[in-house]
Amino acid sequence: TNVNSTPPQTERLEKRTMGTSASSLKFQESVCTLTEVDVAPDDSVFWDEIWKVASSAEEVFELIPPEIARKLRDERFDNMATLFTQATAQLCQIVETPYTIYFDQALNCVRVLTRILPFLLEKGDLGDPDENVEHLCWGTGPSTIPGDEKIGLVVGDDGTSSSAPSKLSLEDQEPLALLVVHAAMHMLFLPQFTCDFYEEKEVSSKKKKAHLSKDERELKAEAGLNHVKSVDAGVVLLAKPASIIWAPGCGVDAKKLGPDASTRKYDKNRVEVLRLLLAACCDPLFAPADEYNPLASRWLAVAVAADAPNAICLFYSLLNTILTYDPSSMPYSATFTSETHIALVELSAQVLCVLLDCGLPGSPEIVQNLETEPIVEFDEASKGGFNIFRTLLARMDKIKELTMVFEGFARLLQNVYQAKTSYLPTGSSGRLECFQELLVLLWKFLEENPLFMTHVLTKCNANRLIVPICYLMYKSRRDPAQIGLVHICTFVLLKLSGERSFGVALNKPFTDKLPCDLPLFTGGHSDLVVITLHKLVVNGAYKLVPLYSCFLTIICNISPYWRKMSLVAAVKLVNLFELFSSPKFLYSGEQAHRHLALLLEVFNNIIQYQFAGNEHLVYAIIRRKDSFGRLSSLTLQKAQAQCHKVYGDHSRVEYDADARAPMTAVDGNGNVLEDGSVTSAPFTPTEEWLIDLKESLPLETVTRLLQHLVPVVDEMVASKQGVVDEQQILAVLSDVTMVGLLPVPHAIVIRKYQPNQYTALWFTAFMWGVIFLRNQSLPMFDGQAIELFQVSVQDDEDD
């Protein structure tokens, strides 16, 4: 994955107050001192100045640039260790005694930790290991830090520095890495800091037995989840106390939330602490892509463990914050409050993506305790790779919640193009830019919750997702920086196309007006999908070539259910056949003809199963009959001559059809189909290749169709002396029956997406690439040490 970034220019903060300037200068002096001399951990005067000086996040990042952070780590590690331990200890203290007078100091600690943690993780579990970093974070290996200085100092009640109130012995002290992650998760639900006061009320022993609706019973039965397993005890998967969840929606009864449940007064603090949690989970950035192991990061393992504090409340808080946001509800939202909330929504999406990307998938199996509460058995929760966030996602099973999730995704993704068709002034709507993160989350739901996709395709209007996905693909097709976006949209379409109900749903009329140069057509959403994918092939970036097989597989999967194809889509499909049967494409690789096989399967599906109503496609095939004839009459001599004419001595091959995205094809029974091998060597047609081509191209149905209908059309044209209206021909074709004239209908083959480690790795790299680029205004991560993808820096032309 290549990530192009333009480094943000450091802008001097003008019009500062005298106090702010002085505090910034003092902080800068302290940072310089840390890089030049060793400062004793018990030098309370020095350290108090660092923690008590008011510094914004922007100032902290500006005054601790990457070179200073690495110098501290590599040359003054004792100072870095004290900085880390004291900041962590103070966060632990504020969690224990959350007094508002210390909140500003706690924020300073959060900002410093957010800045330095990524540079420690460069030498962490997945990066270039360092003994000092290992010992500092996890308490293992040799240490250069004296034992008495491990915890450092925290703020005492009298405002002076004192030892930590519960100073831990080395034997029972928890690792600092665990403490900082747990502190961040506690601080996301700290009264008067990130949420309102709450009381943990005792739950009544009398519980109402949950009754499933008819739709819920049918949904679970279809997914094979109608069996409920009961055990004595386990990890309860309910948010407690539910009143601290940030927004109404999933996982909480609205009645349990306070009257100010959707308050935005804590947004700024929530953003700051979420940044810290994201910084603590950035291990994957420093692992080479071919070596990345989703189970290797202990930082991430702590964050997603069954005992991670407030994990369940955090899952539903993040999810509800994202999916309940309505950009259209605040048409004039250029205020500080709304901008901060948009930042919270976007950061929530990033953090939730990260937390759902590590460990192992959650089990959707329904397990309850004796009180009928949803639980995870202790044995399961203690296994390596357990991820409580993925488990919560997999276990969501209420129709109301699944509908809310769908409505949220649909509303936010539709905003991608609706914001551009609004009559409101530019920048007046609360438009989100995190659609790539939203697509990753949508993918996670489709992949890991077996009820969600079925519910979307049978009870919701799935086309509300398809239109923005097609729009994003269409608009991004030529932008090299958006190749990843096109990939994830393709994966979503491929996943959905494996379901019959998706193909049926696409027949609904398409009536939206998209702000792009989409050809005008009258038809359904199937037409939109095909017109979009055609444009990506004929007018897309070269890097989309590996996706061509996926594009054609999507079309092939939906074709048996396509009731009435528009004229525009019919012409585009036949154009694709001409394109892929041209010498340039056909001889670009030994397996290039598989594109033609998929297109012929599309034609066969429609001719055999949806002939009535698809006269536009039939007529388009008749008009391009020579393309099919040339292919069926191809000889080895012709093939070799055409190949030599196009490619000569094979010194260059512009198009490599054998480059493809990872995908496994299966038929309707789940049997894996053989797929072509990948080669990149120069290709010359051989007798074996020609035999394979003839056997793999299902031309018989189209050939029979042409044999019967070409004379009918020719006779009609002749009777009109060559002057015939196209509508008359279409009318004749719509009345023709092919019953008894075509081969016996073939079995419908649906190729389903199969999860594999390569696509999982691709999603990780894509997701972190997006997060890296989306955090450039406050540059959390320095591209110099990133290994997961390649960072190429572009100089600003104006400099």
Side-chain angles (χ1 to χ4, degrees), residues 212 220-221 223-231 235-237 361-369 372-381 383 386-388 390-397 447-451:
L212 297 178
K220 291 185 177 182
L225 295 174
N226 45 358
H227 172 70
V228 178
K229 181 178 180 180
S230 293
V231 296
V235 178
V236 179
L237 297 178
S363 169
E365 181 187 13
I366 303 171
V367 185
Q368 297 179 344
N369 60 15
T372 70
E373 294 174 321
I375 66 167
V376 175
E377 294 177 80
F378 289 126
D379 287 347
E380 181 69 23
K383 288 180 180 176
F386 175 79
N387 183 329
I388 193 166
R390 295 179 79 167
T391 299
L392 288 164
L393 186 150
R395 293 281 290 274
M396 288 179 67
D397 59 359
E447 268 289 275
E448 300 196 14
N449 187 303
L451 304 180

Side-chain angles (χ1 to χ4, degrees), residues 642-683:
Q642 291 172 354
C643 181
H644 182 75
K645 183 178 180 180
V646 174
Y647 289 117
D649 59 358
H650 294 281
S651 59
R652 65 181 181 88
V653 176
E654 296 180 2
Y655 164 83
D656 181 9
D658 290 321
R660 60 201 172 103
M663 187 193 77
T664 303
V666 299
D667 62 19
N669 298 320
N671 300 313
V672 178
L673 301 174
E674 291 186 8
D675 206 348
S677 59
V678 179
T679 61
S680 57
F683 166 68

Side-chain angles (χ1 to χ4, degrees), residues 710-730:
V710 169
V712 173
V713 174
D714 287 347
E715 182 180 342
M716 182 179 179
V717 172
S719 67
K720 301 284 186 177
Q721 287 81 44
V723 182
V724 61
D725 184 71
E726 196 172 76
Q727 293 302 318
Q728 293 176 305
I729 297 177
L730 291 172

Side-chain angles (χ1 to χ4, degrees), residues 42-95:
D42 58 0
D43 187 345
S44 59
V45 174
F46 177 85
W47 293 108
D48 277 355
E49 286 180 345
I50 283 188
W51 304 127
K52 292 182 179 179
V53 168
S55 302
S56 68
E58 289 75 16
E59 288 173 329
V60 169
F61 274 69
E62 180 182 346
L63 298 176
I64 308 180
E67 58 272 16
I68 294 297
R70 292 194 178 98
K71 185 175 182 180
L72 266 176
R73 181 195 66 200
D74 299 335
E75 299 177 18
R76 299 287 174 185
F77 188 79
D78 287 358
N79 289 346
M80 172 72 96
T82 306
L83 201 64
F84 181 39
T85 54
Q86 288 201 15
T88 301
Q90 291 192 67
L91 294 191
C92 293
Q93 177 67 18
I94 204 73
V95 167

Side-chain angles (χ1 to χ4, degrees), residues 344-360:
L344 176 64
V345 173
E346 297 185 336
L347 192 56
S348 295
Q350 294 170 19
V351 171
L352 188 54
C353 283
V354 170
L355 296 174
L356 290 172
D357 190 62
C358 61
L360 299 173

Side-chain angles (χ1 to χ4, degrees), residues 395-612:
R395 293 281 290 274
M396 288 179 67
D397 59 359
K398 293 183 175 63
I399 293 287
K400 183 179 179 181
E401 293 186 351
L402 296 175
T403 301
M404 183 230 146
V405 170
F406 166 78
E407 289 291 335
F409 279 125
R411 180 178 59 257
L412 295 175
L413 288 174
Q414 285 176 308
N415 180 249
V416 170
Y417 65 86
Q418 288 175 347
K420 295 191 175 183
T421 58
S422 170
Y423 291 105
L424 294 172
T426 302
S428 63
S429 68
R431 181 169 180 262
L432 291 179
E433 297 295 337
C434 64
F435 49 86
Q436 298 185 96
E437 295 94 315
L438 288 171
L439 287 167
V440 171
L441 289 176
L442 174 61
W443 174 259
K444 292 290 184 184
F445 268 91
L446 292 171
E447 268 289 275
E448 300 196 14
N449 187 303
L451 304 180
F452 181 70
M453 183 161 67
T454 302
H455 178 67
V456 167
L457 295 179
T458 57
K459 302 297 182 181
C460 305
N461 180 9
N463 294 316
R464 291 177 60 196
L465 299 175
I466 302 311
V467 173
I469 285 174
C470 287
Y471 171 75
L472 286 170
M473 295 175 79
Y474 196 91
K475 290 292 289 183
S476 306
R477 67 187 185 276
R478 296 197 58 79
D479 185 356
Q482 297 297 324
I483 297 301
L485 173 60
V486 177
H487 270 74
I488 192 168
C489 290
T490 303
F491 283 132
V492 171
L493 287 179
L494 186 62
K495 176 77 176 175
L496 292 171
S497 73
E499 303 298 319
R500 178 186 180 277
S501 49
F502 176 70
V504 173
L506 289 178
N507 285 299
K508 292 180 181 177
F510 172 72
T511 56
D512 288 288
K513 303 295 183 184
L514 298 179
C516 60
D517 60 344
L518 194 74
L520 294 175
F521 69 93
T522 302
H525 288 78
S526 299
D527 299 86
L528 173 66
V529 170
V530 166
I531 291 169
T532 300
L533 296 180
H534 169 270
K535 193 72 170 181
L536 266 64
V537 172
V538 301
N539 189 239
Y542 175 71
K543 288 185 177 180
L544 296 181
V545 168
L547 291 177
Y548 286 0
S549 287
C550 292
F551 295 164
L552 296 175
T553 299
I554 293 165
I555 299 172
C556 195
N557 282 347
I558 66 176
S559 60
Y561 319 107
W562 198 344
R563 298 192 194 113
K564 190 170 182 63
M565 188 183 300
S566 69
L567 173 62
V568 175
V571 171
K572 301 295 186 189
L573 267 182
V574 179
N575 281 349
L576 282 180
F577 185 85
E578 287 192 311
L579 181 68
F580 286 123
S581 62
S582 67
K584 176 185 175 182
F585 281 77
L586 186 57
Y587 305 120
S588 64
E590 190 171 358
Q591 297 295 322
H593 59 273
R594 71 174 176 273
H595 295 326
L596 290 172
L598 285 169
L599 277 169
L600 284 169
E601 194 172 321
V602 171
F603 299 148
N604 294 347
N605 284 338
I606 294 173
I607 292 168
Q608 293 280 20
Y609 294 101
Q610 300 289 347
F611 184 84

